[in-house]
């Protein structure tokens, strides 16, 4: 992989920014409540340190979140205006099985189809369903976290809807891999599907008391358009901040991660909790990468992103919709991510 010379002082300052990015959302209630503003500020600082500002980049940053924000607004409007009809269909599905099984099936489907319909839509469907079921708060948070891990993993299976799959597919479309549309599905389905299934089962487990504590109802009250616009603006700011952070921290990643491979690369990709995984893929992947290193790289990028709210787009969408704070998220997502990381590391070490 190509080496990039980065001044030591730049890496030191970017390292300090990374520490602040990890610590303050968990240590400060103000930051937790205004996370999008904090991330925008940190992202702007990172871009300033790395010298990444330009008119073109500013335009890219302003334009980058538009599609995501548009999808969020449109889906919110559809659910708000047609919820009676949509949820009648969903609840008919839920009544066919015990809720713990129907939740597990729903989340498995959302995870395995997220690369086709986009992680944004998958996360919004999840959040809308959870908003109209009467679950305890802790169960809602756990189900959301497990589902977002499943959605993030499933997003790598095709190059259709998500940038991570598209970047990998495009980079490997030349020899020796000659990747076609089904390349990712063919090589990663059996690495991804069992984890999505386990996460879905875990989510279903926390809906196991549905018979007595969970009541499903059609939402009668409609959300105001100002509320939907405000949430859309928050998500726009989150996604813009992710672009700033990924671009600003790119020199640090290029001077460290690009020299790694295999198991070390897998562990190093834990930085995807703060750097967009598509950005890391663009930095790390070259056409000549071996299949073993590719598996370590892709699984690492897909598995780590949901540890923190800001680590992955479905986390941001679902957490914003359900009002889940950073510490609530991390209290469930970090242990889950460590278990997932350990399980994958052992299995990959044995099988590859």
């Amino acid at each position: 992989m190509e080496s990039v010379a980065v001044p030591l002082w730049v890496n030191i300052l970017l390292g300090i920014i990374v520490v602040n990015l990890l610590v303050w959302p968990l240590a400060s209630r103000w930051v937790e409540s205004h996370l999008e503003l904090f991330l925008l500020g940190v992202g702007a600082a990172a871009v300033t340190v790395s010298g990444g500002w330009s008119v073109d980049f500013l335009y890219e940053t302003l334009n980058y979140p538009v599609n995501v924000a548009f999808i969020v607004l449109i889906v919110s409007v559809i659910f708000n205006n047609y919820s009676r009809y949509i949820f009648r269909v969903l609840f008919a599905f839920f009544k066919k099985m015990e809720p713990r099984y129907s939740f597990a099936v729903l989340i498995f489907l959302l995870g395995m189809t997220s690369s086709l319909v986009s992680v944004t839509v998958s996360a919004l469907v999840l959040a809308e369903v959870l908003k109209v079921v009467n679950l305890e708060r802790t169960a809602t948070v756990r189900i959301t976290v497990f589902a977002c891990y499943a959605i993030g993993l499933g997003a790598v299976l095709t190059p259709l809807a998500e940038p991570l799959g598209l970047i990998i597919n495009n980079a490997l479309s030349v020899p020796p891999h000659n990747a076609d549309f089904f390349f990712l599905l063919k090589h990663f389905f059996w690495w991804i599907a069992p984890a999505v299934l386990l996460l879905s089962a875990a989510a279903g487990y926390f809906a196991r008391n549905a018979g007595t504590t969970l009541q499903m109802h059609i939402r009668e009250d409609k959300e105001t358009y100002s509320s939907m616009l405000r949430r859309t603006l928050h998500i726009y700011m989150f996604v813009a901040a992710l672009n700033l952070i990924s671009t600003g921290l790119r020199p640090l990643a290029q001077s460290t991660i690009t020299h790694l491979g295999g198991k070390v690369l897998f562990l190093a990709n834990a930085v995807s909790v703060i750097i967009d995984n598509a950005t890391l893929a663009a930095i790390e992947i070259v056409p000549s990468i071996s299949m073993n290193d590719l598996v370590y790289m892709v699984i690492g990028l897909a598995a780590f992103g949901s540890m923190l709210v800001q680590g992955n787009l479905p986390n941001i969408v679902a957490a914003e919709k359900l009002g889940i704070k950073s510490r609530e998220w991390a209290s469930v997502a970090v242990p889950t991510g460590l278990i997932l990381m350990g399980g994958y590391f052992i299995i990959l070490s044995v099988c590859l």
Side-chain angles (χ1 to χ4, degrees), residues 9-44:
W9 68 269
V10 170
N11 279 338
I12 291 173
L13 288 178
L14 291 179
I16 293 171
I17 287 172
V18 167
V19 172
N20 281 274
L21 193 57
L22 292 171
V23 170
W24 284 110
L26 304 178
S28 167
R29 291 194 180 277
W30 187 92
V31 170
E32 186 179 36
S33 299
H34 302 84
L35 188 58
E36 68 278 6
L37 296 176
F38 171 75
L39 295 178
L40 281 170
V42 169

Side-chain angles (χ1 to χ4, degrees), residues 225-246:
Y225 283 102
S226 63
S227 175
M228 286 187 283
L229 287 170
R230 185 166 57 251
R231 183 174 58 253
T232 301
L233 177 61
H234 285 177
I235 290 173
Y236 176 95
M237 294 166 69
F238 266 120
V239 178
L242 289 184
N243 192 52
L244 289 173
I245 291 166
S246 294

